[in-house]
Amino acid sequence: MVLLEGAVLRKILHLLIFLVLVSGCSVLSKEKKEDDDFYYELYWKDSYEMYYNSCRSGEMKKCFYLGRRLQEGRDYLYTETIYYYYTACTRGYYQACVSLGNLFKKFASGSEEEVKRLYSLACDSGFLNGCAHLYYFLKKIKSPLEEIMLVAEKSCALSDGIGCELAARFYKKVHKKTFDTSEYKFFLEQACELNVLVSCEKLLNLKSISKKEKQKWLDKSCSLGQKEACVNKGRT
């Protein structure tokens, strides 16, 4: 009888333990998948009927949710997803326009103009997220600076501080020859009021601001955590 060395025996024992664990995990994994499939089918059938009926009744938010549920489901239904997103988008639920634009962009199933049109529809209707998507999409396809600036201005008008800061930046680039400090200053003021610190700092660097204005923007910068502004605000 051949006696196995201790090291060899330990390796064989570890291998047997590993095989048992793998076998057990495989069984558990199979059982979990069966449970997941059961609950998925149960939930999906109930939720689909609920969303479908609500959508048919004119609840565009439910049309959007139905489209998103179809997009994220295991059996991804592209045509149906587009249908529900399009229905919600064209009837005033503008998050659906953004989702539809994202879908077209991801799968290259729509032209650049179609994607831009969907984002623009959302943005022009006052949906800020649509303006954000439109801004980055226009930058990606290298649209004219004037066009990108208009989107930043729309975001600014919707009380988006970053949009106001971007509008100031693009104004400076677009209007190099006809630069108007008051227009540039207007966008910076809007951004600073909306808590964009870098815009407050730019205002403080303008030579055209009055002593009273400087104190105002120092106070604002200090409230946003700019330590230097807190030190200097009493010196104006």
Side-chain angles (χ1 to χ4, degrees), residues 16-233:
L16 289 172
I17 292 172
F18 173 75
L19 291 173
V20 170
L21 287 173
V22 168
S23 175
C25 288
S26 178
V27 171
L28 289 173
S29 177
K30 184 179 179 182
E31 289 178 353
K32 184 178 184 306
K33 184 179 184 306
E34 289 174 354
D35 286 344
D36 286 348
D37 289 343
F38 172 75
Y39 286 113
Y40 177 82
E41 291 298 325
L42 183 67
Y43 170 75
W44 176 227
K45 285 175 182 177
D46 288 345
S47 61
Y48 179 87
E49 186 176 354
M50 179 188 72
Y51 288 145
Y52 177 78
N53 290 334
S54 297
C55 178
R56 287 287 300 269
S57 299
E59 289 186 55
M60 291 304 106
K61 187 175 183 178
K62 294 298 172 61
C63 293
F64 166 69
Y65 283 157
L66 186 55
R68 190 169 70 179
R69 190 73 182 80
L70 287 166
Q71 183 181 355
E72 295 173 352
R74 295 182 184 181
D75 302 316
Y76 177 34
L77 301 172
Y78 182 72
T79 305
E80 287 86 345
T81 300
I82 290 177
Y83 170 77
Y84 288 113
Y85 278 163
Y86 181 80
T87 299
C89 171
T90 54
R91 297 184 184 180
Y93 196 79
Y94 299 111
Q95 175 63 58
C97 304
V98 173
S99 295
L100 186 55
N102 291 342
L103 200 63
F104 284 166
K105 188 172 63 172
K106 180 178 179 180
F107 294 102
S109 52
S111 66
E112 288 183 350
E113 283 302 315
E114 181 63 19
V115 174
K116 187 166 77 170
R117 187 185 72 79
L118 287 164
Y119 289 158
S120 295
L121 177 58
C123 181
D124 292 343
S125 301
F127 186 62
L128 185 56
N129 189 249
C131 298
H133 278 79
L134 180 59
Y135 171 81
Y136 288 110
F137 183 68
L138 292 179
K139 284 196 72 177
K140 182 181 178 181
I141 64 175
K142 302 187 186 309
S143 294
L145 293 180
E146 292 84 355
E147 189 175 3
I148 301 174
M149 180 184 163
L150 285 174
V151 177
E153 287 183 12
K154 287 177 184 177
S155 297
C156 183
L158 293 171
S159 299
D160 175 46
I162 298 299
C164 299
E165 165 62 23
L166 292 172
R169 292 183 194 180
F170 278 100
Y171 180 84
K172 203 171 183 179
K173 291 179 181 178
V174 171
H175 298 283
K176 288 181 180 178
K177 294 182 179 179
T178 58
F179 183 74
D180 182 355
T181 305
S182 62
E183 191 75 13
Y184 174 68
K185 181 182 169 186
F186 169 78
F187 290 125
L188 290 179
E189 287 175 340
Q190 298 298 306
C192 183
E193 291 281 12
L194 291 165
N195 302 327
V196 181
L197 180 57
V198 67
S199 300
C200 303
E201 293 171 343
K202 288 178 181 178
L203 280 167
L204 290 168
N205 289 325
L206 289 179
K207 294 178 181 179
S208 59
I209 63 170
S210 66
K211 187 175 180 179
K212 185 177 179 180
E213 286 175 316
K214 186 173 183 179
Q215 183 63 57
K216 178 182 178 180
W217 303 127
L218 278 171
D219 289 343
K220 184 66 176 179
S221 298
C222 179
S223 71
L224 295 174
Q226 226 278 17
K227 292 182 180 179
E228 189 179 346
C230 297
V231 172
N232 292 330
K233 69 176 186 175

